[in-house]
Amino acid sequence: MYGYVPISIVEDIIDSGRTMNTFLRDIRQRQPASVKVAVFLSKPTALQYPVVADYTAFEIEDKFVIGYGLDYNGLGRNLPDLYVLK
């Protein structure tokens, strides 16, 4: 389907890994030339599925963060920094 082209996936956060694991499985079934994953934030201690990003900007603790595009029920997305939600 993809004509054996390389695929690059850019993700904001990998938490449990469930979504990315399912997504990668589906993409790889289409036999791209290669698949690379870049993630802004990764929570290695929260992983429940075997997902390894090729490029990770920051590894963080298993805490809920908001800001810088990440939100909680639609709130906090526009904050200019990252904050731990208490």
Side-chain angles (χ1 to χ4, degrees), residues 8-27:
S8 297
I9 301 166
V10 180
E11 179 69 305
D12 56 357
I13 190 166
I14 295 178
D15 200 327
S16 70
R18 175 192 281 173
T19 302
M20 186 58 65
N21 183 64
T22 300
F23 186 63
L24 286 172
R25 183 184 66 230
D26 292 347
I27 289 293

Side-chain angles (χ1 to χ4, degrees), residues 15-75:
D15 200 327
S16 70
R18 175 192 281 173
T19 302
M20 186 58 65
N21 183 64
T22 300
F23 186 63
L24 286 172
R25 183 184 66 230
D26 292 347
I27 289 293
R28 288 185 175 128
Q29 286 177 350
R30 290 163 172 79
Q31 300 179 339
S34 63
V35 178
K36 297 290 184 183
V37 176
V39 63
F40 175 51
L41 300 173
S42 176
K43 295 180 182 180
T45 59
L47 276 178
Q48 298 175 9
Y49 296 84
V51 174
V52 177
D54 298 287
Y55 309 99
T56 301
F58 300 100
E59 288 186 352
I60 62 172
E61 296 178 28
D62 186 13
K63 297 185 178 184
F64 199 97
V65 293
I66 60 170
Y68 209 68
L70 302 166
D71 68 274
Y72 176 73
N73 287 336
L75 300 174

Side-chain angles (χ1 to χ4, degrees), residues 68-84:
Y68 209 68
L70 302 166
D71 68 274
Y72 176 73
N73 287 336
L75 300 174
R77 178 177 299 276
N78 295 325
L79 294 170
D81 297 301
L82 290 172
Y83 300 91
V84 174

